[in-house]
């Protein structure tokens, strides 16, 4: 008798094995009880035929409620009709913990109820599939940068300055040093890293205390931010499209089963291959106007605008060269038109909107000093950042990709709240 | 002329290439200027022989200060005496940004000065080596769990309850929901994940607002925490020793050059192979007494005690079954002696002390309720956690490994502050 996982069944056909897990579902038919077991690696139907099993095992298969933890023993059978291709000709059942009245039943529940029970909701088939896709996305992201010679640089969460106002920052008392703030981005620190290590990426939680109740906002979300020395905006776009292709194609290949569970139509994802379309902000504005959107040159795009623009394309679209006014102070201006910032946003198709924002960074000390003044930012807080332009400044560029938006897009979710194990939103920080 | 990195030189012997990076060091000898270039992938000596190069290039090699950013062109030569095995017979030099008076010179600097300039200090040879070892450790940690079928479960940073008092917690206002706290551990959430996915790990920043000024404390540090359903204390120790062997041996193999730069004596690290010694708390107390330490059974070990115990062993030592009184409420008691918790700490040798803390978790609802009462904890805050014992409870166990302590141990550092890019300590949260 061997303790194995459901994902190992293929190696044990016609052998007797023991599996441990949870009763996911069951049904009965005459002298047969069908128990669907889940163990985190998969699902398998265990067939209890009354003459073949001890009386108490059969009775338990009858009695146990959903999510009871059990140990089942039986003989592995190839069964092409079964999900996963195998089932268990059961011989015994041991109860580890008998459960009744599990709160989440196969019937429909309201979203608030499910979020209140997130610690249990995570056991549902769809949520398990999302978490496995999320994990594969994270691994693809890290593998991509690791394989290209980037060095991971974990940037700090607690940061000393509220450089762009405190309205969207979480703050905390930091001993005798006054207030500290939860980071909104590791980019400025990643720039220091790029000048030390050439190519770096930071990948960690970031925070926005924004009072946004949309389906596209979380107060706590993960972001990956590569930063590359000696790179310009074109290099940045080349990197972004190669990166997106790698992540999407890897997940499609490795998480086919989970995407099927999520009923994801993958036809559009399959098209995420280089080259991705690249249009200027000006061209994007033209698209909006042609589609009857009332839009003024100089504004930033809202979610609805992004949908109109991205609907023109089968693949994610890269929109570059935005009006500098709507972009951050550290972005380099376009030498051919100083009203424009050398910025790029990548908009996902199917209404998922912005998933990447990036730019070439201003690398000239005096220009950056002027920008800081124009933006009325406290120069002192940026002295260390200015040092990067005082000592061995080089052209450099990078971008940030929001993990939960990417998970949401690849999984085809309606709302970011299912893209992270325990979502934090303006009206929820439990469980 | 091809733009390549220093790490690629081996593929371009006798070819003309262009490298971009920073002037790390230089010296002169008659008609020759030696420029050491760094680019994040390595270091290479570029030899400027006056008759071979344009006048302005030779003059620049003479004039430029440390950390000037430059582009060098030359012919790659195999040179067994050179660090890395190659040097550049230089033909040209272009200045990207001329730098003078770089604050960090080859002379000695005080630690506060270096920490104030952490954004530049990261460019130093030793710091680059530490960051590359840290990255390889992170990758080894993730690869280990990924390859064993664990699912990554990113647990929340913002948590709603100060369940064990607020004295060591950073707190922040969370909209209209009152206070939220920065997580000290993802374990309780990882337990929910283990019951959904079988085997999970969480790996992210954690926070302690402890007023500890020791060389072994940071206020912000990264922790990896695996959690396994159907595992007991022995399984937990088996996992921890296999994990440590994998991480240490992988880093020794892949980061030999960096460990040499750090002058790390790797003879003890080479011995980190299974099995690791396992002793009980009782046996550890005996060791202390034999070594003349005044120690009462029932106390927790301090840093000095850990050093005395770990000095008895060549490898990390696993100390198990601690007095329950000094351990957390969620730890399962030893059925053979209910005064003991089924806990394990792993102590690193060479004075590095505790790097892992783990345990089997209490899985019985009523016992856990009693513990919560004994510890005077607010039951309401734990209702979701108690649900894990109400619905499909199973034996489970896990541990946490502190990343910076591990980096510090493997690199042979004196203080955790060099083990993370931007350290946060009680008296410092800048830059």
């Amino acid at each position: 008798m061997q303790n194995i996982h459901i994902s190992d069944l293929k190696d044990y056909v016609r052998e007797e094995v023991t599996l441990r897990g949870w009763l996911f579902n069951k049904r009965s038919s005459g002298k047969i009880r069908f128990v669907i077991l889940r163990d985190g690696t998969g699902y398998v139907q265990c067939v209890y035929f009354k003459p073949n099993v001890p009386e108490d095992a059969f009775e338990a298969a009858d009695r146990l409620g959903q999510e009871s933890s059990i140990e089942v023993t039986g003989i592995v059978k190839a069964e092409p009709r079964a999900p996963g291709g195998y089932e268990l000709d059961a011989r015994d059942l041991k109860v580890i913990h008998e459960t009744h009245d599990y709160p989440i039943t196969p019937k429909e529940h309201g979203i608030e109820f499910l979020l209140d029970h997130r610690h249990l909701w995570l056991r549902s088939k769809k949520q398990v599939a999302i978490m496995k896709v999320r994990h594969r996305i994270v691994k693809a992201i890290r593998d991509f940068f690791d394989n290209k010679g980037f060095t991971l640089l974990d940037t700090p969460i607690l940061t000393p300055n509220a450089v762009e106002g405190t309205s969207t920052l979480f703050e905390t008392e930091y001993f005798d040093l006054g207030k500290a703030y939860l980071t909104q981005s590791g980019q400025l620190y990643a720039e220091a890293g790029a000048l030390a290590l050439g190519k770096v990426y930071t990948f960690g939680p970031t925070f926005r205390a924004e009072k946004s109740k949309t389906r596209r906002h979380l107060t706590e979300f993960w972001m990956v931010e590569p930063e590359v020395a000696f790179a310009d905006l074109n290099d940045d776009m080349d990197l972004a499209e190669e990166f997106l292709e790698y992540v999407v194609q890897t997940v499609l290949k490795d998480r086919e089963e989970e995407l099927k569970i999520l009923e994801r139509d993958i036809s559009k994802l399959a098209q995420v291959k280089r080259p991705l379309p690249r249009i200027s902000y000006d061209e994007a504005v033209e698209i909006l106007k042609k589609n009857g959107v009332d839009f003024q040159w100089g504004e930033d795009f809202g979610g609805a605008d992004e949908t109109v623009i991205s609907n023109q394309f089968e693949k994610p679209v890269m929109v570059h060269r935005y009006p500098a006014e709507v972009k951050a102070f550290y972005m380099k201006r376009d030498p051919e038109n100083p009203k424009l910032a050398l910025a790029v946003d990548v908009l996902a198709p199917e209404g998922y909107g912005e998933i990447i924002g990036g730019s070439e960074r201003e690398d000239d000390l005096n220009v950056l000093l002027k920008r800081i003044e124009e933006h009325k930012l406290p120069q002192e807080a940026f002295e260390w950042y200015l040092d990067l332009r005082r000592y061995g400044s080089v052209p450099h560029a990078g971008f940030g990709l929001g993990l939960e938006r990417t998970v949401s897009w690849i999984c085809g979710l309606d709302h970011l709240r299912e893209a992270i194990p325990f979502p934090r939103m303006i009206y929820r920080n439990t469980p």
Side-chain angles (χ1 to χ4, degrees), chain A residues 206-224:
Chain A
T206 53
F207 303 84
R208 301 271 162 98
E210 265 179 295
K211 295 200 168 170
S212 298
K213 281 197 183 184
T214 83
R215 63 187 180 84
R216 293 172 42 74
H217 285 88
L218 296 171
T219 58
E220 176 182 322
F221 59 98
W222 285 64
M223 187 151 62
V224 59

Side-chain angles (χ1 to χ4, degrees), chain A residues 231-250:
Chain A
D232 62 17
L233 179 64
N234 280 331
D235 299 324
D236 209 32
M237 291 197 277
D238 291 347
L239 183 69
E241 69 177 4
E242 186 182 354
F243 168 67
L244 279 180
E245 173 181 311
Y246 178 80
V247 170
V248 172
Q249 297 306 325
T250 301

Side-chain angles (χ1 to χ4, degrees), chain A residues 381-400:
Chain A
F382 289 100
E383 283 300 335
W384 72 266
Y385 184 65
L386 290 162
D387 274 354
L388 308 180
R389 280 75 181 168
R390 290 188 181 105
Y391 306 110
S393 187
V394 301
H396 61 291
F399 63 79

Side-chain angles (χ1 to χ4, degrees), chain A residues 39 59 62-63 76 91 94 224 250 259 273 322 351 383 388 393 396:
Chain A
D39 73 350
E59 197 274 320
D62 225 24
R63 185 187 75 238
V76 183
R91 294 300 145 108
K94 278 191 199 153
V224 59
T250 301
L259 293 170
K273 292 192 175 165
Y322 283 70
E383 283 300 335
L388 308 180
S393 187
H396 61 291

Side-chain angles (χ1 to χ4, degrees), chain A residues 72-345:
Chain A
V72 305
T73 298
I75 295 152
V76 183
K77 290 201 162 173
E79 171 50 76
R81 289 166 303 177
Y86 302 92
E87 66 174 30
L88 210 67
D89 180 4
R91 294 300 145 108
D92 206 353
L93 188 160
K94 278 191 199 153
V95 180
I96 297 167
H97 181 234
E98 183 159 347
T99 296
H100 293 283
D101 305 316
Y102 183 68
I104 302 177
T105 58
K107 72 164 185 169
E108 287 266 323
H109 295 280
I111 184 64
E112 288 308 315
F113 178 87
L114 291 170
L115 286 169
D116 284 341
H117 292 84
R118 183 62 173 166
H119 53 292
L120 302 176
W121 188 24
L122 283 172
R123 302 182 189 183
S124 301
K125 201 165 191 168
K126 190 180 159 194
Q127 301 304 316
V128 165
I130 294 168
M131 291 305 130
K132 293 198 171 185
V133 173
R134 178 185 166 105
H135 180 195
R136 195 63 192 85
I137 291 171
V138 170
K139 182 171 158 51
I141 289 170
R142 292 185 180 267
D143 286 349
F144 177 82
F145 291 116
D146 292 349
N147 292 336
K148 289 186 90 72
F150 284 66
T151 301
L152 172 69
L153 191 93
D154 293 311
T155 52
I157 308 300
L158 292 165
T159 53
N161 301 110
V163 292
E164 301 191 64
T166 59
S167 66
T168 62
L169 287 173
F170 290 106
E171 62 178 40
T172 187
E173 289 297 328
Y174 196 86
F175 305 108
D176 301 330
L177 300 177
K179 293 200 186 301
Y181 305 89
L182 300 191
T183 185
Q184 295 194 318
S185 157
Q187 179 203 311
L188 305 194
Y189 293 100
E191 288 182 53
L195 271 58
L197 294 145
K199 296 189 278 191
V200 299
Y201 68 101
T202 180
F203 194 178
T206 53
F207 303 84
R208 301 271 162 98
E210 265 179 295
K211 295 200 168 170
S212 298
K213 281 197 183 184
T214 83
R215 63 187 180 84
R216 293 172 42 74
H217 285 88
L218 296 171
T219 58
E220 176 182 322
F221 59 98
W222 285 64
M223 187 151 62
V224 59
E225 296 172 275
E227 190 74 31
V228 183
F230 302 103
D232 62 17
L233 179 64
N234 280 331
D235 299 324
D236 209 32
M237 291 197 277
D238 291 347
L239 183 69
E241 69 177 4
E242 186 182 354
F243 168 67
L244 279 180
E245 173 181 311
Y246 178 80
V247 170
V248 172
Q249 297 306 325
T250 301
V251 174
L252 286 185
K253 186 163 61 69
D254 277 13
R255 288 294 175 270
E256 199 184 341
E257 203 179 314
E258 283 77 11
L259 293 170
K260 231 175 248 168
I261 289 169
L262 296 168
E263 298 174 2
R264 179 69 168 119
D265 170 7
I266 59 165
S267 60
K268 287 220 170 164
L269 293 174
Q271 294 178 48
V272 182
K273 292 192 175 165
R274 285 173 288 173
L276 300 183
R278 300 180 185 196
I279 62 171
S280 66
Y281 171 89
D282 287 2
E283 290 169 302
V285 171
E286 280 309 304
I287 289 173
L288 289 178
K289 288 188 171 164
K290 268 186 201 153
N291 283 273
V293 180
D294 179 26
F295 187 89
Q296 287 294 318
W297 194 99
E299 293 173 23
D300 203 356
F301 301 129
D305 303 323
E306 288 176 0
T307 301
V308 173
I309 298 163
S310 62
N311 275 348
Q312 311 302 310
F313 302 91
E314 294 291 305
K315 305 179 185 185
V317 55
M318 311 178 98
V319 184
H320 55 81
R321 292 179 170 77
Y322 283 70
E325 298 266 316
V326 299
K327 290 291 184 185
F329 74 95
Y330 51 71
M331 293 188 181
K332 194 179 174 84
R333 300 289 174 94
D334 187 349
E336 293 179 15
N337 180 353
K339 281 190 181 164
L340 300 178
L342 293 173
V344 58
D345 283 358

